[in-house]
Amino acid sequence: MSAAENKGLMQRIFARLAEGDGSLYVDHLHEDAVMVVTGDYSWSGRFEGKARILRDLYGHLRNVTSGVSRTVPVRFLADGDWVVVEARGEMRARDGTPYHNQYCLMYRLEAGMIVEAREYQDSALCERVLGPFPAGQG
């Protein structure tokens, strides 16, 4: 797919994520995808495989948040197989504390599937509101 096609696909995926619907994202996550949460804090890590990404990373995120989780895109940039998405999260921790993080998300696509992702975020906000990530899962 071209950079423009990859960008269009990610725009469609994020239009749904902005509504709180992650199904299109999950549909386009390759079985062997790799997700890297960058940085040097408890949530940092490399999650290999769709099942592990959904269970360990997003599963834990669901456990520490409540209600609707939305990721609203701000900007898309595309270069070849890579699409960069600047976005903001709109969710709440289980205790009701607002969690509105800012993200830079990088996605590498092959044949319409997300095969690699890198997440950059405000790590201090993440740990302050959501708490530390369970040891040994990242």
Side-chain angles (χ1 to χ4, degrees):
M1 292 175 60
S2 70
E5 290 169 321
N6 287 332
K7 181 179 176 182
L9 173 59
M10 294 310 297
Q11 287 172 323
R12 290 189 299 280
I13 289 171
F14 271 84
R16 300 267 291 275
L17 288 170
E19 297 171 354
D21 177 3
S23 63
L24 194 58
Y25 174 82
V26 171
D27 290 347
H28 287 275
L29 191 59
H30 193 278
E31 292 299 322
D32 296 323
V34 174
M35 173 86 177
V36 175
V37 178
T38 64
D40 187 20
Y41 64 112
S42 67
W43 287 71
S44 299
R46 181 180 174 92
F47 300 85
E48 296 186 13
K50 180 178 184 173
R52 183 157 184 249
I53 293 167
L54 297 177
R55 180 190 65 236
D56 295 348
L57 179 59
Y58 295 128
H60 180 65
L61 183 63
R62 278 190 306 278
N63 288 336
V64 296
T65 58
S66 62
V68 175
S69 173
R70 299 175 354 122
T71 305
V72 179
V74 175
R75 176 176 295 112
F76 294 87
L77 302 171
D79 183 19
D81 293 339
W82 285 93
V83 177
V84 178
V85 183
E86 180 185 355
R88 70 180 193 282
E90 295 181 356
M91 55 191 90
R92 292 190 175 276
R94 283 258 181 223
D95 68 3
T97 304
Y99 179 61
H100 299 154
N101 211 327
Q102 304 290 318
Y103 301 97
C104 179
L105 303 160
M106 298 177 60
Y107 298 97
R108 185 169 62 86
L109 293 98
E110 290 181 2
M113 298 297 288
I114 299 166
V115 295
E116 183 177 350
R118 298 184 63 79
E119 176 181 298
Y120 300 83
Q121 64 163 309
D122 181 343
S123 57
L125 174 67
C126 178
E127 288 200 320
R128 185 173 65 249
V129 176
L130 301 182
F133 196 80
Q137 280 194 348

